[in-house]
């Protein structure tokens, strides 16, 4: 609680000092210069943030494209495997059917 009180006293004291300094023409210029520097600093920080955000967006977009390609490749591989398995089952069924027919004909003879 004591720390909060000192913090509030510091803020109020800072505003009071800025008000007194702002009344003096030289102090007004100093505060204007400080304000300009703070504005320049925030502009630079904003530009850096937007630059990093653009890099991150590019990275995420690239990762999304890679993931989409991987999903497409897996889907194609699954479809190819399904078709190959279907062909193998059809061939096996045909072979078994031929063997059963041959066995049945052999048994008749």
């Amino acid at each position: 609680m004591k720390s909060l009180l000192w913090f509030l006293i510091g803020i109020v004291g800072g505003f009071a000092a800025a008000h007194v300094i702002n009344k003096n023409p030289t102090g007004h210029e100093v505060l204007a210069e400080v304000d300009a520097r703070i504005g320049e600093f925030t502009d630079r920080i904003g530009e850096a943030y937007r630059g990093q955000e653009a890099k991150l967006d590019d990275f995420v977009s690239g990762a999304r494209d890679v993931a989409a390609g991987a999903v497409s490749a897996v889907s194609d591989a699954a479809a190819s495997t399904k078709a190959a398995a279907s062909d193998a089952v059809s061939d096996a069924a045909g072979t078994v059917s031929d063997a059963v027919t041959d066995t049945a004909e052999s048994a008749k003879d």
Side-chain angles (χ1 to χ4, degrees):
M1 191 69 174
K2 189 175 182 180
S3 297
L4 178 63
L5 178 65
W6 281 111
F7 178 72
L8 292 175
I9 289 172
I11 288 177
V12 169
F15 276 116
H19 182 69
V20 170
I21 291 172
N22 197 30
K23 286 184 178 181
N24 184 349
T26 305
H28 182 73
E29 289 176 15
V30 168
L31 289 178
E33 183 179 330
V34 168
D35 185 47
R37 286 184 181 182
I38 290 172
E40 181 182 333
F41 176 76
T42 56
D43 289 345
R44 286 184 182 181
I45 294 296
E47 289 172 12
Y49 175 80
R50 285 185 288 280
Q52 290 299 320
E53 186 178 32
K55 286 180 184 179
L56 184 61
D57 286 344
D58 291 345
F59 176 75
V60 169
S61 176
R64 188 178 299 133
D65 292 344
V66 168
V71 167
S72 177
V74 168
S75 177
D76 291 346
S80 175
T81 302
K82 180 182 174 186
S86 178
D87 290 345
V89 169
S90 294
D91 291 345
T95 302
V96 169
S97 176
D98 291 344
V100 168
T101 302
D102 291 345
T103 304
E105 288 177 3
S106 294
K108 286 183 183 178
D109 291 337

